[in-house]
Every structure is written in C-alpha cells, then in structure tokens.
Amino acid sequence: MYTDSIYGTAPLIASYLKNHSFKGSVYIIGSSGISTELTAVGISSMGVGPDPIPSNEFLEQVAGLEFDPDVKAVVVGFDPYFDYAKLLRAASYLQSPDVLFIASNSDERFPMSTSPIVVPGTGSILASVKVASAREPIILGKPTTHIFEAIQHDHNIDPKRTLMIGDNVKTDILMGKNCGLATMLVLTGVTTEQELHDFENSSNPTEQYLVPDYYMPSIGDLMPLLQKSVNS
Amino acid sequence: MYTDSIYGTAPLIASYLKNHSFKGSVYIIGSSGISTELTAVGISSMGVGPDPIPSNEFLEQVAGLEFDPDVKAVVVGFDPYFDYAKLLRAASYLQSPDVLFIASNSDERFPMSTSPIVVPGTGSILASVKVASAREPIILGKPTTHIFEAIQHDHNIDPKRTLMIGDNVKTDILMGKNCGLATMLVLTGVTTEQELHDFENSSNPTEQYLVPDYYMPSIGDLMPLLQKSVNS
C-alpha cells in the first residue's frame, strides 16, 4: 500500500478545480488537508481553522464585514471549527451565481453506533449552508463519478477490467455502476445481506440498479480466490 | 404599546414547556433571552454563549465529553455562537427519543435584500441539527398555533373578534386561518399584490387557503377606518 495510491476528497477537490481551469480564490469550510491540496495546484484559499466574527455585538459587526471579490468557489468538507460566522461568509459568497459550490460528501454523521455521542458529518454542516444560500452543491464524493475519473486520469485504468468493492450499495456500489465497473459488496459494513436480497427482489428499477455483480461476507474472502487465480 | 403586550418566541418556548409540565434541564442553541425566560418559569438550561469543545485535537476530545442526563429538551433559536460543538451536543442529546426537540422558527435568513451579506436565520442553524439528529423539531413560531394559544391563555381573547394582520401569507395569514381569526394582508412586506391575486385565482386548495379576508396597501390605511368606526 502506497499513500499516493489513496485518493481522499481533498486532492479530488483540487483536481476538480484544476481540471475545470478554475481562476480565483476559495473560501473553505473544512480542514487544512483541502487548503494544502489547493496550494499544491496553485489555488489560494482562506477560512481553514477558527474564523470567528470578532465581536459579541454580532449583528452590528456583520454590516462591516469584508468579502474578498476574488473568491469564486465555496468548498464544504468536514470542519470541527464550523460556526455561524463561517456559515454567514459561505452563504454571502454563494449569493453570486458565478461562485461554485462544492462539497466533499453528504454523509450525515460518522458511524459510531455504540456511542452515546453523535459526531455530525459533512452532510450536517452542508445542510445549513444549503438552506442559508438556497443553493445545491456539486458533491464530489461517492456515488458521483468524479473520484473514479480522477483515478482513471492519473493511472489509465480500464473500467471493464476494474472491480469496485464496497460495503454500502447506495454509495460504493452505485458509484461503481455509474462508472461502468464490476461491483462487489462486502457484508461487513452498512448494507446487510437482508437489504441486498430486498433490493434483488424489488420491482423498483432504482433499487434493482443497486444490486452488485458479486457479494461476499468480507473482503478477506477474496484472498483465496486471488491466490488461486494467480497460481492457476 | 406596552412591552408586556409583545409576544416573542423566548417566552413562548418557556410557556410551552411549562404548560406541558416539563421536568428536566434544557440544552439551548440560542440566546440568553431563552434562558432568562426558562429561568423565570423554573426550568434550568445550559449552552447559551460560546460553548466550544476545549481542544484542537477534536475527535480525541469528543470521546471524553460528558452529557447531562437531566437534559430532556433541546431548543434551537437564533444563535450567533452556533458552532460544531453545539451541533454535536444537540444531536447527541437528541439520540434519546424522550428528549424534546423544539425550535423557535424556521426562517432561512434575515431579510436584508439590498445587502451583499446573507445573514442566516434560525432555519439554517436548525437544518444542520435536523440532519445530524435525523429528527424533526416542533416549531413554535408561525404558522403553527402555539403563539396565539399563549396570547389567548393570558388575555382571554375571542378568536371570532380578532384580526390577524401580517405581510406574509405563508406565515402570518396562515397562522390566522389556523387559529380561526379574521385575516388582513398588508402589501409592505413579503407577499406582493401579484402573488395575492395568483393565490386567489389558483385551483390549488392549499394556495386558496392562504387568501386573506382583507388586504390593504399598508397598515397605516387601517387608521382612518378605525377612527371612523370609533366616531360613528
């Protein structure tokens, strides 16, 4: 496993903007991972880390806020520093229809099923920016095809000879299908075997489309088959 | 005009909880107006003002967070200190189905039509709490009937002899109709005369229901009629 073989959403956002010949600066609700990747492709950004409005006299200060006219995109990722000031800045930038609105994913929360704590995900942060701006973002994560296109671009991969393995039919398998890949579900994650069979037996074409080509109890069950294939 | 004749959402929230014999403490995303009104009816609360998670090592700290088992309601109002930590706390409390979820209103933004700045309203904050918690709040503001019921309770008002005046058919006029009041639209605000006529001519019963009994260019036009009525 090489780290340059792992595709995260931060480089995906950078490559999306670069591939679309983006000119301008980016207002980020998100982590330094995003700003680092943007810098690497020559795009300036702001907003990472705490970004409060500097007074308790909030609404009086708002009128004096300055906005950078060079901002031509708002990017929303996971941001534990997300706050009202960032929401206001993002929504204000998004008032201009030529400012792009991009999100890394729309996951509501992190999976922590046994915890008394709900850890809200990017999708929860995104919800407030959507409502405040009255706009819909371009979501670069699964199930859209952007991330596979980036991998394909860098590695010249043939979709017909590629297997998408995932644990969630609605994101992983759907993305594989959207990209023309073979698909395999493993049952160690989000989608259960019962749900899989329900989709197989569904008369709804949207649910039928989510049925993978293959499924296995776990990804470890693939190893004997690979070894057999290599040895034969 | 007497200030005790003005009904805001903060006393409305307090009276709602009191009338429902609420026992427990309240986690507030909102202003000190709400906590003050809750204190006045003997309900304890927490969360008002900055309420950050005390470290940059965010996800490591989260596991150590403590939650007050006495919290039996989460209230969401307008809060310029709204941040990720408050979102996480609210969503975590709301995991328990016996914790009430109450919001003052669902307005997306403050009306500042000529400004380059979007000032997100309670509805934008509420959107993220809804997504993170996967729950729907009880909204106490218009067009639900709660605020009129509170006024009626305090002042023994006869709905049949009461006129609801407002500038928005979807909140003000709808609330008036929901409470059995006579309704009058003024054209100095949200709903335009054209929209009013569109609703009058609509074949959609939901839109027809929004048509007020009366309308006037502005509330000032009511004065000569009132004087005439008093003099006759």
Side-chain angles (χ1 to χ4, degrees), chain B residues 105-126:
Chain B
N105 68 81
S106 59
D107 296 335
E108 291 89 350
R109 21 167 119 181
F110 287 89
M112 297 182 84
S113 55
T114 59
S115 166
I117 302 175
V118 172
V119 181
T122 302
S124 295
I125 293 169
L126 188 60

Side-chain angles (χ1 to χ4, degrees), chain A residues 87-120:
Chain A
L87 174 60
L88 182 149
R89 288 196 175 94
S92 297
Y93 283 123
L94 288 169
Q95 259 198 316
S96 171
D98 64 339
V99 169
L100 287 172
F101 183 16
I102 293 172
S104 61
N105 69 80
S106 59
D107 295 335
E108 290 90 350
R109 22 167 119 180
F110 288 89
M112 296 182 84
S113 56
T114 59
S115 166
I117 302 175
V118 172
V119 181

Side-chain angles (χ1 to χ4, degrees), chain B residues 123-203:
Chain B
S124 295
I125 293 169
L126 188 60
S128 61
V129 182
K130 283 166 64 174
V131 169
S133 67
R135 286 185 56 178
E136 284 293 324
I138 300 161
I139 295 171
L140 293 186
K142 298 172 288 186
T144 66
T145 59
H146 301 285
I147 199 159
F148 179 71
E149 284 162 6
I151 296 169
Q152 200 176 14
H153 177 268
D154 294 350
H155 295 285
N156 195 25
I157 284 174
D158 180 1
K160 293 194 190 69
R161 290 176 46 80
T162 305
L163 178 65
M164 173 73 195
I165 304 170
D167 68 1
N168 185 337
V169 292
K170 292 183 181 171
T171 55
D172 303 322
I173 301 305
L174 182 54
M175 189 205 77
K177 298 224 165 196
N178 288 342
C179 298
L181 314 179
T183 54
M184 187 179 97
L185 178 72
V186 292
L187 297 173
T188 43
V190 176
T191 304
T192 64
E193 186 162 10
Q194 183 59 53
E195 286 172 310
L196 170 63
H197 294 320
D198 290 347
F199 288 135
E200 283 175 334
N201 298 325
S202 171
S203 57

